[in-house]
Amino acid sequence: MTIDLIVKNNLCTGCGVCISEDQSHQAKMIWNNEGFLVPSLGKSSTQDKMIKVCPFAIQQKNEDELGELFLKLPETQYHDKIGYYYGLYAGYSKQFRETSSSGGIATYVFNALLEQKIVDYLFIVKEVDGQYAYQFFSNVEEITQISKTRYTPVTLEKLFQELSKVDGKVAVSGVACFVKAIRLKQMYDPVLKEKIAFIVGIICGGLKSKYYTDYLAQEAGCKNEYNYAQYRVKNKESYALDYKFSCIEKSDKKIHMVDMQSLGDMWGTGLFKSNACDFCDDVLTELADISLGDAWIDPYDKNGLGNSIIITRTKIAENLIKNGLNKNLLALDVMNTEKIILSQNGSFNHRHKGLAFRVMKVNKEGKLTPRKRNKHMVNQNLLFNFVQNSRLKTRQKSLDYWLETRNHLKFKIKMKPYLENLKFFTLWNHRLIKLKKILLSKKDA
Ligand SMILES: Cc1cc2nc3c(=O)[nH]c(=O)nc-3n(C[C@H](O)[C@H](O)[C@H](O)COP(=O)(O)OP(=O)(O)OC[C@H]3O[C@@H](n4cnc5c(N)ncnc54)[C@H](O)[C@@H]3O)c2cc1C
Ligand code: SF4
Ligand code: SF4
């Protein structure tokens, strides 16, 4: 497999790590027509070297194999959906919750890493000129500048270009495929294991095209160019899912806002999502030092300020959390594996249960997919497969129709039949599940 093939088969999420392996230095990250970042290769780009660190390469080591290399210790536990871990928690940071996307644990961890001098720099996603990009950061006084998750493509391209110039250790935040790419770099170059001393894994339900933000901005009433997109404006009087999107129109500096609930399901439908994400089975960022997500589970989802789920996978991470509890900086409950999995139920259903069907379908069409872990390749019933098929179509159509219309109203009209189809199959699939449960309980009685 080559980087060319990864890009042609839409299997790239733009991590940018392969760029650092191009010995010709001709490769660089560019925007593709669907609004994702992908590598553009030069004539002499060393694709044989570059592919070695691509998380989507067919020949790549999987998350279990890499987990064994990086995280397996006598004291870590293993769960086949969670990976290697020390502790499982849910809750929030007392200091950073209000100014963060969820429970503010990412900001708490990064702040502690700098304060305790475990690292000297962070490489995180932060605003620059009203847009978002990865950058180095070390100003602990201004730590809340790094808070909040940004649902738009970003790339680690600069990390390995600039890492050698940085004096000291670095902590990085990343979604699962980005974390995997970093681990692959560290596997080939153990010096990088020392240099990148900590990875905060951002649990991720899918990468959105940059056109997702354009769509949200139009829905918010913004007619022209905008910046300072805010994806999670919380409502502390309400529940966690009740948040808004906002942006600032450049011409008159007016703030525009839209209630995300009014737009329907933007995640479960696969709208504006990268094709590569349909072949990603790492739901909980299995290779990070600590994995952080939203606690989409009762009672945590009832609080508008948000709560995080936390999976500590290394001793440093576990100590940071335990310290926070001892110093009364964190309000956390200990979780069990079932609750952690339940908090990401939708993601597990799509990413694990639907995987075998999607791989089979796409391979039949002559397109390539990455090699996936056998344990997640389980055949499902016909109705469930109809849901997958419908979601695959909805995802692709959302990108096609946005490119065609570039208008939120026309886009919604065009997408309506696909979204209704998906809703229909999802509804009947849920009814079938319910019926099966009733029949099973009667059989057991
Ligand atoms: C694309 C994407 C999809 C997500 N999908 C899910 C999901 O399906 N389920 C779920 O539970 N949670 C999901 N999240 C994570 C969730 O939105 C929260 O970000 C997470 O729970 C951390 O919350 P926090 O309050 O601790 O973070 P904060 O304290 O607000 O800090 C956020 C941290 O994330 C970093 N960051 C921001 N944007 C990005 C980015 N694009 N890539 C890498 N790092 C970034 C920031 O630099 C900052 O350090 C997703 C996040 C992203 C970026
Ligand atoms: S996923 Fe990352 S490593 Fe693979 S081709 Fe894309 S940018 Fe390169
Ligand atoms: S869903 Fe998986 S492949 Fe897609 S961006 Fe998230 S971690 Fe990467």
Side-chain angles (χ1 to χ4, degrees):
M1 201 177 205
T2 60
I3 295 288
D4 254 341
L5 279 174
I6 293 280
V7 175
K8 276 189 191 129
N9 285 275
N10 286 327
L11 292 175
C12 170
T13 49
C15 74
V17 174
C18 58
I19 303 293
S20 65
E21 293 287 325
D22 180 13
Q23 289 173 352
S24 76
H25 303 293
Q26 292 171 345
K28 59 174 194 252
M29 297 303 287
I30 56 161
W31 289 100
N32 75 5
N33 71 321
E34 289 189 339
F36 295 105
L37 285 160
V38 291
S40 157
L41 302 174
K43 272 194 186 136
S44 326
S45 288
T46 51
Q47 288 206 56
D48 53 332
K49 298 262 181 318
M50 295 169 77
I51 197 71
K52 281 166 58 187
V53 294
C54 178
F56 297 95
I58 288 179
Q59 62 270 39
Q60 207 52 273
K61 281 192 186 298
N62 66 36
E63 287 74 2
D64 283 324
E65 291 161 337
L66 289 168
E68 202 172 328
L69 278 180
F70 283 90
L71 303 168
K72 187 179 177 186
L73 285 172
E75 62 268 32
T76 47
Q77 301 193 60
Y78 175 80
H79 184 284
D80 68 354
K81 282 189 178 292
I82 296 175
Y84 292 94
Y85 68 94
Y86 273 82
L88 310 172
Y89 308 88
Y92 61 90
S93 148
K94 293 181 182 174
Q95 191 179 354
F96 300 115
R97 183 193 212 184
E98 195 138 355
T99 44
S100 286
S101 278
S102 182
I105 304 293
T107 307
Y108 163 80
V109 167
F110 281 129
N111 186 61
L113 286 167
L114 284 175
E115 272 189 353
Q116 293 173 31
K117 306 215 180 311
I118 297 169
V119 301
D120 305 281
Y121 290 91
L122 311 176
F123 193 69
I124 41 71
V125 176
K126 185 179 157 300
E127 179 264 324
V128 50
D129 297 331
Q131 308 295 322
Y132 300 107
Y134 266 106
Q135 52 202 286
F136 286 98
F137 185 89
S138 59
N139 185 355
V140 79
E141 310 293 311
E142 304 283 340
I143 194 74
T144 52
Q145 281 185 10
I146 71 153
S147 301
K148 300 239 175 197
T149 29
R150 317 299 184 182
Y151 304 127
T152 192
V154 286
T155 177
L156 293 169
E157 183 182 13
K158 276 198 194 135
L159 174 63
F160 296 101
Q161 286 166 355
E162 295 178 10
L163 198 60
S164 57
K165 296 177 213 154
V166 167
D167 188 15
K169 294 186 178 182
V170 178
V172 184
S173 79
V175 294
C177 52
F178 283 36
V179 176
K180 184 173 180 181
I182 296 172
R183 291 301 189 204
L184 288 165
K185 280 286 285 189
Q186 290 178 323
M187 186 178 76
Y188 291 113
D189 183 356
V191 173
L192 291 174
K193 179 89 182 71
E194 300 285 310
K195 189 85 181 167
I196 300 173
F198 197 92
I199 306 180
V200 173
I202 302 289
I203 291 175
C204 161
L207 172 69
K208 297 289 194 190
S209 154
K210 70 173 177 181
Y211 298 129
Y212 171 64
T213 314
D214 288 354
Y215 168 74
L216 296 183
Q218 284 194 19
E219 283 285 352
C222 189
K223 301 266 182 301
N224 298 300
E225 276 190 65
Y226 63 89
N227 50 21
Y228 297 97
Q230 293 291 342
Y231 298 85
R232 304 260 303 244
V233 181
K234 296 180 189 180
N235 176 1
K236 61 177 167 189
E237 310 301 332
S238 187
Y239 47 96
L241 258 178
D242 184 15
Y243 57 87
K244 291 182 167 59
F245 166 88
S246 80
C247 64
I248 299 179
E249 190 146 353
K250 275 188 187 171
S251 54
D252 57 5
K253 306 266 181 294
K254 202 174 155 211
I255 298 176
H256 294 272
M257 259 197 204
V258 62
D259 190 340
M260 287 301 293
Q261 298 263 50
S262 71
L263 305 181
D265 182 0
M266 297 302 296
W267 291 90
T269 48
L271 289 173
F272 296 98
K273 193 178 72 176
S274 161
N275 174 66
C277 301
D278 273 342
F279 306 99
C280 165
D281 60 4
D282 184 353
V283 176
L284 296 176
T285 321
E286 291 174 40
L287 299 173
D289 286 75
I290 192 166
S291 304
L292 305 172
D294 288 291
W296 298 128
I297 180 178
D298 185 58
Y300 306 98
D301 58 357
K302 301 289 175 295
N303 194 312
L305 281 174
N307 279 290
S308 302
I309 56 156
I310 304 163
I311 304 167
T312 59
R313 302 183 186 278
T314 57
K315 192 78 196 152
I316 303 177
E318 178 68 0
N319 285 344
L320 289 176
I321 295 301
K322 287 262 163 72
N323 266 342
L325 280 168
N326 291 340
K327 290 182 181 158
N328 205 19
L329 299 171
L330 301 176
L332 302 179
D333 298 323
V334 172
M335 293 280 106
N336 59 29
T337 53
E338 288 76 22
K339 281 185 180 166
I340 290 288
I341 291 167
L342 195 63
S343 79
Q344 301 295 321
N345 196 31
S347 205
F348 276 113
N349 267 337
H350 178 76
R351 310 259 288 282
H352 287 183
K353 274 182 84 180
L355 187 62
F357 173 79
R358 287 193 301 275
V359 168
M360 183 271 297
K361 183 170 189 318
V362 167
N363 288 164
K364 250 190 188 168
E365 290 165 1
K367 293 179 209 147
L368 296 178
T369 54
R371 186 169 59 90
K372 301 315 306 175
R373 288 175 284 185
N374 282 338
K375 65 183 182 185
H376 300 315
M377 299 286 278
V378 183
N379 289 331
Q380 305 295 332
N381 67 58
L382 197 64
L383 200 51
F384 187 82
N385 292 346
F386 281 150
V387 175
Q388 300 312 310
N389 200 29
S390 178
R391 196 180 284 135
L392 281 170
K393 269 193 205 149
T394 306
R395 188 202 68 77
Q396 187 57 53
K397 288 290 172 194
S398 71
L399 295 166
D400 296 346
Y401 286 146
W402 183 260
L403 288 176
E404 192 185 311
T405 63
R406 307 259 180 180
N407 173 285
H408 69 124
L409 296 173
K410 289 182 187 161
F411 172 81
K412 281 202 288 197
I413 293 168
K414 291 233 171 215
M415 285 309 299
K416 201 170 173 220
Y418 296 94
L419 288 167
E420 278 179 354
N421 201 269
L422 178 58
K423 204 170 163 187
F424 174 82
F425 287 124
T426 308
L427 183 75
W428 278 100
N429 185 48
H430 285 161
R431 284 182 179 159
L432 182 71
I433 293 168
K434 237 185 193 173
L435 186 69
K436 274 187 184 164
K437 271 189 191 155
I438 293 170
L439 291 175
L440 261 178
S441 65
K442 279 196 175 154
K443 206 175 141 197
D444 290 345

